[in-house]
Amino acid sequence: MKPIKVAVIGVGNCASSLIQGVAHYRSSNSSQGLIHEQIGGYGAGDVEFVMGVDVDARKVGKDLAEAIFAAPNNTAVFMPNVPTSGVKVMMGKILDGVADHMTGMGERGFVVADAPEATKESIVSALKSSGTEVMLNFLPVGSQEATEFYMECALEAGVAVVNCMPVFIASRPEWEKRFREKNIPIVGDDIKA
């Protein structure tokens, strides 16, 4: 089967662990540590990351395989040699995705890139041109406006969503209806918990 083409919105610790995990399972050809070896015929190594979006200067413009290890990420590194993906992390839209208390903290905080912010049109275009089938939302907690921005982009691009953070989208009737009307799957609302 063809790999599932995935876009990652927010290249933080959770994205790092996931991308390292996919690389591990792809290279080891093992399912040790997984609850299910396959779901719907797909294994853990059957994911292809085709797009990455972030707003931190240490990640924007870098290959996704390099950006997952950039500060302020500090998750465990268990697969240090993630193969280069050829996917450059693009500048996103900030909105409320960067908390004030996380800037000015140097290596431990966010360093907002000075690249022009993405527009809805540029994100939708990138989702379509990358062939994204599923968009993962890994934005920081509290990013209500930013999450809604990316949900609008997913709806316009026609891509499924896994909302991995606690901004209620899939469980809100008005959002659920909009995705259902376009026959676009959406799951999540704090799937990380």
Side-chain angles (χ1 to χ4, degrees), residues 80-119:
N81 298 314
V82 173
T84 302
S85 67
V87 173
K88 299 288 183 202
V89 175
M90 69 180 285
M91 178 65 180
K93 184 101 171 146
I94 298 170
L95 297 166
D96 59 353
V98 176
D100 289 339
H101 71 277
M102 290 300 295
T103 59
M105 294 181 61
E107 193 72 10
R108 293 178 38 197
F110 292 120
V111 178
V112 178
D114 59 6
E117 287 187 59
T119 62

Side-chain angles (χ1 to χ4, degrees), residues 98-160:
V98 176
D100 289 339
H101 71 277
M102 290 300 295
T103 59
M105 294 181 61
E107 193 72 10
R108 293 178 38 197
F110 292 120
V111 178
V112 178
D114 59 6
E117 287 187 59
T119 62
K120 182 178 179 186
E121 294 75 23
S122 66
I123 296 293
V124 169
S125 176
L127 287 166
K128 288 180 177 181
S129 66
S130 66
T132 295
E133 297 167 298
V134 178
M135 182 180 82
L136 300 179
N137 179 23
F138 281 130
L139 290 174
V141 171
S143 303
Q144 181 80 36
E145 292 174 10
T147 292
E148 290 182 3
F149 168 81
Y150 288 105
M151 295 304 120
E152 293 289 353
C153 294
L155 281 165
E156 189 167 322
V159 301

Side-chain angles (χ1 to χ4, degrees), residues 1-181:
M1 287 197 287
K2 297 185 313 183
I4 301 168
K5 294 184 176 188
V6 174
V8 177
I9 309 300
V11 185
N13 285 321
C14 293
S16 178
S17 294
L18 177 64
I19 293 167
Q20 287 182 73
V22 168
H24 165 76
Y25 285 110
R26 186 177 293 135
S27 69
S28 71
N29 208 17
S30 166
S31 62
Q32 185 175 6
L34 296 175
I35 294 172
H36 300 285
E37 186 172 339
Q38 291 191 340
I39 297 175
Y42 289 96
D46 294 330
V47 173
E48 179 184 357
F49 296 99
V50 296
M51 183 176 158
V53 177
D54 205 279
V55 298
D56 194 287
R58 296 161 292 185
K59 299 173 185 179
V60 173
K62 300 240 167 69
D63 188 279
L64 190 56
E66 180 184 356
I68 62 172
F69 299 118
N73 290 7
N74 60 5
T75 194
V77 175
F78 58 91
M79 185 70 183
N81 298 314
V82 173
T84 302
S85 67
V87 173
K88 299 288 183 202
V89 175
M90 69 180 285
M91 178 65 180
K93 184 101 171 146
I94 298 170
L95 297 166
D96 59 353
V98 176
D100 289 339
H101 71 277
M102 290 300 295
T103 59
M105 294 181 61
E107 193 72 10
R108 293 178 38 197
F110 292 120
V111 178
V112 178
D114 59 6
E117 287 187 59
T119 62
K120 182 178 179 186
E121 294 75 23
S122 66
I123 296 293
V124 169
S125 176
L127 287 166
K128 288 180 177 181
S129 66
S130 66
T132 295
E133 297 167 298
V134 178
M135 182 180 82
L136 300 179
N137 179 23
F138 281 130
L139 290 174
V141 171
S143 303
Q144 181 80 36
E145 292 174 10
T147 292
E148 290 182 3
F149 168 81
Y150 288 105
M151 295 304 120
E152 293 289 353
C153 294
L155 281 165
E156 189 167 322
V159 301
V161 173
V162 178
N163 184 29
C164 302
M165 48 88 65
V167 166
F168 299 111
I169 300 292
S171 60
R172 283 183 41 205
E174 61 271 22
W175 280 101
E176 186 268 336
K177 179 181 182 215
R178 292 180 66 199
F179 277 87
R180 187 174 14 91
E181 285 173 347

